[in-house]
Amino acid sequence: MSEHLQRLATWMDSAEDEHLEFKEAKNRYDFEELVKYCCALSNERGGRIVLGVTDRRPRKVVGSNAFLDLARTKQGLIERLRLRIEALEIAHPNGRVVAFEVPPRPVGVPIQYGGAYWMRGGESLVPMTTDQIKRILDEAQPDFSAVACPGVTLDDLDPRAIQVFRTRWASNSRREDLNDLSVEQLLLDADLLSPRGEVTYAALILLGARQALSRHLAQAEVIFEYRADEASTAYQQRKEYREGFLLYHDDLWSAVNARNEVYSYRDGMFRREIPAFSEDAVREAVLNAICHRDYRLYGSTFVRQSRLQIDVVSPGGFPPDVNADSILFRQSPRNRRLAEAMARCGLVERSGQGADRMFAAMLREGKLPPDFSASDDASVSVRLSGAVQDEAFIAFLEKLGEETRRSFHVADLLVLDAVKRGHPVPEPLRSRLSDLVANGAIERVERTRLVLARRFYVMKGHPGEYTRRRGLDRETRKELLFQHIQASGEAGAPFDELAQVLPGASRNELKVLLRELKEAGRIHARGSTRAARWFPGAEGG
């Protein structure tokens, strides 16, 4: 199979989303509609539109006669969108396929056509809303935390916070000379003052006195609320922190920890205890909210705690190029100057400018990973669940760590959690699979099927679950398909019926098994596409 046909097969097996669009376009396709789709795809960070393929699964190639003069079409797209869009013509056995590869828009520049900035809206195209356009334009804005705050002087900074910063920076960098610097020189060296000696917003957020924050940046406050029941509207405790972050970050953790329940379970002869909320996870969630929120918006940051749940909600949505799925793999601090100052005093070692320590802390304790699904363009919301999901998983990780004399990287923990829950392993983490298989943490049933090692299910007391998850071996599954086809006799067995024989197998897996049976001369097909039926015996036999 050629490279182009392989790429087409991959696209056809993928879910249609804001980056991928299929159109049959058997005879023609409206050029103006193509321009709008290319505009929308570029605004959605790039993608492709494929003509000559059905959009509903199972997709099939129907061929397209649209845009036979591709050079002219590409030139027309460049003239209208000022983007270099590549066009690829693929010769498929079932007909001609045309794919338009659309690059992402430039940072901070939305693409418009016909008086509108187009985007995907479900199955159709819709103009962008005002807040979405503003979000794109804001990408090119300078670092807010590095900007000088008008009217603020060194007298507006709290001496206690400055001393905490000095002590932490000296200890973290092992620089005793920092203790001898003047306040002005200390803050200049930390880039918390502008070159002209003006106090930046980063300095105000970290070190500001209560009155100064109330006057100049009241939205920098963090509000803590505790509710015994997460469904309750009334809170049992509320604390408002409106002062430099270095003055209250320990007190905020103390407020959380004061009602931190302890989960107790038996591990062999010993009783183990795990707090509902790990200090690393909570501090990480708060640090990321402080570093990455949009301080130009007037909302406060909230830390809402209930018995087994904490939600940290901060205004402004994710920074550019970051979303709920990529937060572990992409780093884009919205307030870089503030993040750099936190790194100097050792706080960022906990946050890592990402969420790795938060994820690791949750997964090592057998809890659900942090949940960012409630985030949107207006705010970032992370939920920490305090409930231990799986005691056996904790023991499994500890035993493996002792035997292999290694500590698991957060990527390893995410892979193990995905395999345990039967979820696909994200592409950026697949490179960790071979090492986990070699260390006995994961078993590869087939090329694409993975299960946790049998010992995990034995420790859990469910060895039968291991057998069920591992499933039938390849030859047994082929034999089941053959037996069903043989029993179907002269009526033949349609593909959808065969899918019922192996309900856990994907369409591609079924196709491979049928092809192997056919190549062995045990079955053959009559008809094509969805109308095809499978019969016992070799073709023509």
Side-chain angles (χ1 to χ4, degrees):
M1 184 184 292
S2 71
E3 179 186 348
H4 292 335
L5 287 175
Q6 287 179 338
R7 291 177 66 190
L8 176 60
T10 301
W11 298 337
M12 290 174 64
D13 200 39
S14 301
E16 197 173 52
D17 58 15
E18 65 270 21
H19 306 290
L20 181 62
E21 180 74 27
F22 291 96
K23 299 291 182 184
E24 289 192 17
K26 291 182 180 179
N27 297 313
R28 63 177 302 275
Y29 192 72
D30 185 74
F31 178 71
E32 294 298 309
E33 192 70 7
L34 175 66
V35 177
K36 288 181 181 179
Y37 263 106
C38 290
C39 176
L41 287 167
S42 186
N43 281 329
E44 302 281 7
R45 296 291 186 178
R48 59 185 59 86
I49 178 170
V50 183
L51 308 182
V53 177
T54 57
D55 63 343
R56 296 190 181 277
R57 288 178 166 176
R59 299 192 181 94
K60 60 182 179 179
V61 173
V62 295
S64 174
N65 290 320
F67 309 119
L68 295 175
D69 188 347
L70 280 183
R72 180 181 176 187
T73 304
K74 286 172 60 178
Q75 185 60 37
L77 290 171
I78 292 173
E79 290 173 356
R80 285 161 176 76
L81 297 176
R82 296 293 185 264
L83 292 172
R84 185 170 185 81
I85 296 170
E86 297 298 329
L88 176 66
E89 192 172 69
I90 303 173
H92 188 276
N94 293 340
R96 171 180 176 263
V97 174
V98 181
F100 292 92
E101 300 271 0
V102 183
R105 57 174 175 73
V107 174
V109 181
I111 305 298
Q112 69 92 24
Y113 178 70
Y117 299 94
W118 298 100
M119 58 175 259
R120 286 284 298 273
E123 295 294 321
S124 58
L125 298 176
V126 295
M128 281 187 174
T129 59
T130 303
D131 65 308
Q132 288 167 319
I133 295 172
K134 179 182 181 299
R135 183 174 170 81
I136 293 176
L137 296 174
D138 285 347
E139 293 172 0
Q141 294 294 317
D143 175 7
F144 173 83
S145 67
V147 174
C149 183
V152 174
T153 68
L154 290 176
D155 292 336
D156 292 307
L157 305 182
D158 194 303
R160 296 171 300 157
I162 294 172
Q163 186 56 42
V164 170
F165 180 74
R166 185 195 298 273
T167 302
R168 292 187 67 107
W169 187 12
S171 174
N172 190 55
S173 63
R174 298 181 181 178
R175 287 184 54 190
E176 294 298 326
D177 62 295
L178 294 175
N179 293 314
D180 301 324
L181 297 180
S182 67
V183 169
E184 184 173 4
Q185 190 60 53
L186 177 78
L187 300 184
L188 276 170
D189 288 356
D191 291 328
L192 289 173
L193 300 183
S194 73
R196 295 190 296 180
E198 301 161 309
V199 176
T200 64
Y201 281 105
L204 189 63
I205 294 164
L206 271 183
L207 313 171
R210 180 182 297 273
Q211 289 184 343
L213 277 169
S214 295
R215 286 198 307 269
H216 301 284
L217 199 65
Q219 62 267 34
E221 71 179 357
V222 173
I223 298 175
F224 168 79
E225 295 177 348
Y226 177 81
R227 292 171 174 81
D229 178 4
E230 56 263 24
S232 172
T233 55
Y235 48 79
Q236 280 70 54
Q237 183 184 14
R238 177 183 170 99
K239 299 185 77 171
E240 298 179 0
Y241 297 100
R242 187 183 291 178
E243 56 189 344
F245 179 70
L246 291 181
L247 293 173
Y248 68 79
H249 70 107
D250 284 334
D251 188 78
L252 176 57
W253 162 246
S254 296
V256 171
N257 200 35
R259 291 186 173 91
N260 201 359
E261 295 191 10
V262 175
Y263 177 81
S264 178
Y265 73 96
R266 185 169 294 282
D267 180 12
M269 296 178 59
F270 303 98
R271 181 160 292 282
R272 306 284 299 276
E273 292 185 341
I274 294 178
F277 304 112
S278 154
E279 182 176 357
D280 274 351
V282 173
R283 286 188 183 272
E284 173 71 30
V286 173
L287 281 165
N288 276 276
I290 299 299
C291 270
H292 301 309
R293 67 150 290 175
D294 190 341
Y295 287 97
R296 295 168 300 175
L297 303 179
Y298 290 110
S300 304
T301 296
F302 281 87
V303 178
R304 298 187 175 104
Q305 180 184 3
S306 57
R307 195 173 69 84
L308 288 175
Q309 183 174 294
I310 287 181
D311 292 307
V312 180
V313 184
S314 54
F318 286 109
D321 295 329
V322 177
N323 56 39
D325 297 322
S326 67
I327 192 166
L328 268 171
F329 315 114
R330 293 185 180 176
Q331 300 175 6
S332 179
R334 177 177 274 123
N335 301 290
R336 183 172 294 277
R337 187 66 57 85
L338 177 59
E340 290 170 350
M342 285 186 167
R344 287 187 170 90
C345 60
L347 289 173
V348 150
E349 290 178 4
R350 281 182 171 161
S351 73
Q353 281 315 291
D356 53 342
R357 287 182 64 87
M358 177 167 43
F359 275 80
M362 300 292 287
L363 294 173
R364 283 197 182 99
E365 294 181 345
K367 299 168 185 172
L368 293 173
D371 181 7
F372 288 86
S373 61
S375 304
D376 54 27
D377 288 342
S379 65
V380 172
S381 174
V382 57
R383 171 164 293 179
L384 306 179
S385 172
V388 174
Q389 303 291 311
D390 200 330
E391 301 166 9
F393 189 61
I394 306 171
F396 177 63
L397 291 177
E398 290 181 353
K399 293 281 193 302
L400 273 176
E402 292 170 4
E403 292 172 5
T404 59
R405 297 183 179 181
R406 57 170 285 180
S407 58
F408 289 103
H409 186 273
V410 65
D412 298 329
L413 296 171
L414 285 165
V415 170
L416 292 170
D417 179 69
V419 173
K420 179 171 72 77
R421 294 198 283 160
H423 294 176
V425 177
E427 187 61 37
L429 301 176
R430 289 191 162 272
S431 61
R432 315 291 298 193
L433 284 173
S434 57
D435 191 40
L436 290 169
V437 170
N439 284 315
I442 289 175
E443 296 178 16
R444 195 186 290 275
V445 181
E446 291 176 3
R447 188 175 64 85
T448 59
R449 294 180 61 228
L450 302 161
V451 294
L452 288 187
R454 185 177 187 278
R455 62 188 300 187
F456 164 71
Y457 296 98
V458 172
M459 294 169 70
K460 191 176 181 180
H462 297 160
E465 184 181 350
Y466 166 79
T467 303
R468 177 180 63 79
R469 285 179 177 269
R470 186 175 177 87
L472 304 172
D473 62 43
R474 189 178 197 82
E475 292 305 316
T476 302
R477 289 190 291 157
K478 285 163 64 173
E479 196 60 35
L480 285 173
L481 290 173
F482 175 73
Q483 288 177 14
H484 184 81
I485 292 170
Q486 193 174 44
S488 300
E490 288 302 315
F495 188 89
D496 289 345
E497 197 173 283
L498 293 172
Q500 297 170 19
V501 177
L502 298 175
S506 68
R507 294 186 65 86
N508 281 342
E509 287 173 329
L510 282 172
K511 288 177 182 177
V512 171
L513 295 173
L514 291 171
R515 185 175 68 239
E516 290 178 3
L517 285 168
K518 180 181 178 182
E519 290 171 352
R522 303 184 68 190
I523 63 173
H524 67 279
R526 297 177 193 168
S528 60
T529 64
R530 298 189 69 176
R533 287 178 175 266
W534 292 88
F535 298 85
E539 194 166 6

